[in-house]
Amino acid sequence: MVSFPPTFADHVVAEPAKAQFEAFIDEHRRALTSCLDGLTEEQARRSLVVSRTTLLGLVKHATFVEKVWFDEAVTGRSRAEIGIPATPDESFVLDDGDTIATVQQAHREACAASRQATSTLGLDDILPGNRRGPLPLRWVYLHVLRELAQHCGHADILREQLLHG
């Protein structure tokens, strides 16, 4: 029999599905924000692809994602009320005041607010405020996990180019 080393999620195998979703989402949240660790401000802002995607921009975009799915979708508040860009593309734009520390802090705060917003919800509870229409929390968790996984992959490649390019 083949034996595999334990992974981060092994501790939730016997837990309810919601705890499993949250463990995987949190692992991807941590992985994405940690892509900035040990970089200079210049490296974090460096553009290596033709799109607006930079490592700092990816984490800033992830903060936008948290607010879209766990504020707008849960509360029905508009993006203007929340104070986020109208479109995902705009969420990658870096301001002069954006630093590794400020973007990571904003991301941590948004993740904490997301956890709080969903703490009393069940996976089948309906979130009324998404532009697509009402969606169950289960669907939102799957969507966010997919998006975070994609962005973690992007971050891995960009970081590799920066450090070993």
Side-chain angles (χ1 to χ4, degrees), residues 95-118:
D95 301 323
D96 290 342
D98 289 330
T99 66
I100 292 170
T102 63
V103 169
Q104 284 180 320
Q105 181 62 31
H107 185 253
R108 282 190 296 272
E109 290 171 3
C111 292
S114 296
R115 285 185 210 96
Q116 180 63 38
T118 58

Side-chain angles (χ1 to χ4, degrees), residues 30-110:
R30 283 189 297 276
L32 189 56
T33 196
S34 71
C35 77
L36 298 171
D37 293 349
L39 298 181
T40 66
E41 296 293 334
E42 185 277 327
Q43 287 173 315
R45 288 176 165 272
R46 191 180 306 164
S47 178
L48 300 168
V49 293
V50 296
S51 70
R52 293 180 169 170
T53 307
T54 63
L55 284 173
L56 194 63
L58 272 173
V59 178
K60 187 172 182 178
H61 170 71
T63 301
F64 167 84
V65 168
E66 294 287 334
K67 292 180 179 188
V68 165
W69 289 107
F70 301 116
D71 189 337
E72 180 182 32
V74 172
T75 68
R77 294 190 319 149
S78 73
R79 292 179 184 188
E81 289 175 284
I82 297 167
I84 58 175
T87 67
D89 191 49
E90 294 171 281
S91 71
F92 285 89
V93 175
L94 298 173
D95 301 323
D96 290 342
D98 289 330
T99 66
I100 292 170
T102 63
V103 169
Q104 284 180 320
Q105 181 62 31
H107 185 253
R108 282 190 296 272
E109 290 171 3

